[in-house]
Amino acid sequence: MTPPTTTPHRPDRQARAIRLGPRSWLSLALVSAVGVAGFGWPFLAPPASAVNAHAQDAPWLFAGLLVLLVAVVAATISESGLGPKAVAMLGVLAAAGAALRPIGAGTAGLEPMFFLMVLSGRVLGPGFGFVLGSVTMFASALLTGGVGPWLPFQMLAMGWFTMGAGFLPGPDRLRGRAEVWMLAGYGFLAAFAYGTVMNMAGWPFMAALASNISFSPDASLATNLARFVAYCLATSLGWDLGRALVTVVLTLTVGATLLKALRRATRRAAFETPVTFGSTPE
């Protein structure tokens, strides 16, 4: 029996738990396009369109579509090389994120899971980040009883949020405190972006509760934009600000330590190291 030999990891190249192929990118583009339509249809559909004629049904339709498409994307990415070691790390990080979410989710939007998603997406790449964000949000919904028509939108938004961290400038160009500050800035902006897109998903349901700032199928685009801005300011600004500040504080205080731990675990897992079998000397 000859022992396996491994190819040394190149230090100038960031390891990825998943390297996306053309089919995975196509699936991501498809689900993102449907997601944009699902979140933004109140602004994309003209007042006389059939979608606006069924304004109360459209969110349910898009929610059903997103459930299927997110599942398809996760399966496609998994086929791209989500091996046993990557699955194990996905399970650990998703469980940690799901456990962190209930800690402060009921208090002014203090959600510590967001900083973990940023750092994980940064280290493990956009493909792993999308799957991690979606799975973590699904697991946390089961843990907190937060299952409803909003869950598919949360899964997609968190997938985008975590995936985006994997597209930031690579660690070969940015390390140390500069990298931590970059991640803190990204987390701050992405926390607000997450809140905004989730507002877009829930806004059409609010017609009977807040007539002055709710979506109106018969109103013009400018009017609905003004209503939406007023809706965000009145309902979620405090939550989004709390989420953003917690993400920044946790990233700046423990981000460097967690980045080192994640990178150490990634090196030891050797996701991309090809294993070959050679002959041993006599």
Side-chain angles (χ1 to χ4, degrees), residues 35 41 56 67 82 85 90 94 133 152 174 176 204 260 266:
W41 67 266
Q56 294 301 312
V67 168
L82 190 64
K85 292 180 287 188
L90 175 66
L174 199 64
K260 290 179 182 177
T266 300

mmCIF file of all heavy atoms in Angstrom, residues 35 41 56 67 82 85 90 94 133 152 174 176 204 260 266:
data_model
loop_
_atom_site.group_PDB
_atom_site.id
_atom_site.type_symbol
_atom_site.label_atom_id
_atom_site.label_comp_id
_atom_site.label_asym_id
_atom_site.label_seq_id
_atom_site.Cartn_x
_atom_site.Cartn_y
_atom_site.Cartn_z
ATOM 1 N N GLY A 35 -35.329 36.307 -7.971
ATOM 2 C CA GLY A 35 -35.362 36.994 -6.690
ATOM 3 C C GLY A 35 -35.549 38.491 -6.847
ATOM 4 O O GLY A 35 -36.314 39.113 -6.093
ATOM 5 N N TRP A 41 -41.066 43.483 -7.671
ATOM 6 C CA TRP A 41 -42.180 43.584 -8.602
ATOM 7 C C TRP A 41 -43.072 44.808 -8.373
ATOM 8 O O TRP A 41 -43.638 45.342 -9.345
ATOM 9 C CB TRP A 41 -43.016 42.298 -8.581
ATOM 10 C CG TRP A 41 -43.760 42.041 -7.302
ATOM 11 C CD1 TRP A 41 -43.346 41.298 -6.253
ATOM 12 C CD2 TRP A 41 -45.060 42.539 -6.954
ATOM 13 N NE1 TRP A 41 -44.289 41.295 -5.261
ATOM 14 C CE2 TRP A 41 -45.357 42.047 -5.668
ATOM 15 C CE3 TRP A 41 -46.003 43.346 -7.596
ATOM 16 C CZ2 TRP A 41 -46.543 42.339 -5.010
ATOM 17 C CZ3 TRP A 41 -47.194 43.634 -6.955
ATOM 18 C CH2 TRP A 41 -47.458 43.136 -5.669
ATOM 19 N N GLN A 56 -52.029 40.925 -3.761
ATOM 20 C CA GLN A 56 -51.973 40.142 -2.531
ATOM 21 C C GLN A 56 -51.547 38.699 -2.777
ATOM 22 O O GLN A 56 -51.155 37.991 -1.846
ATOM 23 C CB GLN A 56 -53.345 40.160 -1.837
ATOM 24 C CG GLN A 56 -53.756 41.537 -1.341
ATOM 25 C CD GLN A 56 -52.751 42.119 -0.355
ATOM 26 O OE1 GLN A 56 -52.336 41.454 0.587
ATOM 27 N NE2 GLN A 56 -52.353 43.364 -0.581
ATOM 28 N N VAL A 67 -38.527 29.041 -3.135
ATOM 29 C CA VAL A 67 -38.233 27.799 -2.409
ATOM 30 C C VAL A 67 -37.627 26.770 -3.352
ATOM 31 O O VAL A 67 -36.595 26.153 -3.063
ATOM 32 C CB VAL A 67 -39.509 27.237 -1.751
ATOM 33 C CG1 VAL A 67 -39.259 25.813 -1.255
ATOM 34 C CG2 VAL A 67 -39.938 28.102 -0.577
ATOM 35 N N LEU A 82 -19.000 19.910 -3.309
ATOM 36 C CA LEU A 82 -19.209 20.041 -1.870
ATOM 37 C C LEU A 82 -18.940 18.681 -1.238
ATOM 38 O O LEU A 82 -19.833 17.870 -1.056
ATOM 39 C CB LEU A 82 -20.641 20.510 -1.588
ATOM 40 C CG LEU A 82 -20.955 20.932 -0.149
ATOM 41 C CD1 LEU A 82 -20.133 22.151 0.236
ATOM 42 C CD2 LEU A 82 -22.428 21.245 0.014
ATOM 43 N N LYS A 85 -15.788 17.100 3.792
ATOM 44 C CA LYS A 85 -15.197 18.088 4.693
ATOM 45 C C LYS A 85 -15.931 19.423 4.602
ATOM 46 O O LYS A 85 -16.144 20.096 5.622
ATOM 47 C CB LYS A 85 -13.711 18.262 4.361
ATOM 48 C CG LYS A 85 -12.872 17.034 4.696
ATOM 49 C CD LYS A 85 -11.418 17.242 4.353
ATOM 50 C CE LYS A 85 -11.170 17.217 2.856
ATOM 51 N NZ LYS A 85 -9.719 17.226 2.522
ATOM 52 N N LEU A 90 -19.898 23.285 6.718
ATOM 53 C CA LEU A 90 -21.194 23.935 6.496
ATOM 54 C C LEU A 90 -22.128 23.677 7.670
ATOM 55 O O LEU A 90 -22.804 24.591 8.161
ATOM 56 C CB LEU A 90 -21.818 23.412 5.199
ATOM 57 C CG LEU A 90 -23.231 23.907 4.870
ATOM 58 C CD1 LEU A 90 -23.227 25.410 4.596
ATOM 59 C CD2 LEU A 90 -23.793 23.153 3.663
ATOM 60 N N ALA A 94 -23.427 26.678 10.011
ATOM 61 C CA ALA A 94 -24.867 26.915 9.971
ATOM 62 C C ALA A 94 -25.484 26.751 11.352
ATOM 63 O O ALA A 94 -26.362 27.530 11.756
ATOM 64 C CB ALA A 94 -25.535 25.962 8.971
ATOM 65 N N GLY A 133 -25.481 30.899 3.826
ATOM 66 C CA GLY A 133 -26.479 31.887 4.191
ATOM 67 C C GLY A 133 -27.890 31.337 4.117
ATOM 68 O O GLY A 133 -28.709 31.545 5.024
ATOM 69 N N PRO A 152 -38.520 32.092 2.338
ATOM 70 C CA PRO A 152 -37.727 31.998 1.097
ATOM 71 C C PRO A 152 -37.008 33.290 0.750
ATOM 72 O O PRO A 152 -35.880 33.274 0.256
ATOM 73 C CB PRO A 152 -38.779 31.638 0.034
ATOM 74 C CG PRO A 152 -39.899 31.025 0.794
ATOM 75 C CD PRO A 152 -39.931 31.724 2.105
ATOM 76 N N LEU A 174 -5.183 42.312 0.583
ATOM 77 C CA LEU A 174 -5.650 43.060 1.743
ATOM 78 C C LEU A 174 -5.672 42.143 2.951
ATOM 79 O O LEU A 174 -6.408 41.158 2.973
ATOM 80 C CB LEU A 174 -7.056 43.607 1.464
ATOM 81 C CG LEU A 174 -7.540 44.767 2.334
ATOM 82 C CD1 LEU A 174 -6.670 45.998 2.111
ATOM 83 C CD2 LEU A 174 -8.986 45.098 2.014
ATOM 84 N N GLY A 176 -4.798 41.981 7.563
ATOM 85 C CA GLY A 176 -4.632 42.735 8.799
ATOM 86 C C GLY A 176 -5.825 43.621 9.110
ATOM 87 O O GLY A 176 -6.968 43.321 8.777
ATOM 88 N N PRO A 204 -45.918 44.810 0.369
ATOM 89 C CA PRO A 204 -47.237 44.663 -0.272
ATOM 90 C C PRO A 204 -48.315 44.089 0.643
ATOM 91 O O PRO A 204 -49.513 44.214 0.340
ATOM 92 C CB PRO A 204 -46.950 43.712 -1.445
ATOM 93 C CG PRO A 204 -45.508 43.892 -1.738
ATOM 94 C CD PRO A 204 -44.877 44.107 -0.400
ATOM 95 N N LYS A 260 -8.628 34.229 11.510
ATOM 96 C CA LYS A 260 -7.493 33.306 11.649
ATOM 97 C C LYS A 260 -7.974 31.886 11.908
ATOM 98 O O LYS A 260 -7.436 30.917 11.339
ATOM 99 C CB LYS A 260 -6.591 33.768 12.792
ATOM 100 C CG LYS A 260 -5.822 35.047 12.506
ATOM 101 C CD LYS A 260 -4.974 35.456 13.706
ATOM 102 C CE LYS A 260 -4.230 36.762 13.436
ATOM 103 N NZ LYS A 260 -3.442 37.209 14.623
ATOM 104 N N THR A 266 -9.649 25.967 7.364
ATOM 105 C CA THR A 266 -9.685 25.740 5.919
ATOM 106 C C THR A 266 -8.400 25.089 5.434
ATOM 107 O O THR A 266 -8.420 24.182 4.598
ATOM 108 C CB THR A 266 -9.906 27.082 5.191
ATOM 109 O OG1 THR A 266 -11.145 27.653 5.616
ATOM 110 C CG2 THR A 266 -9.958 26.877 3.683
#
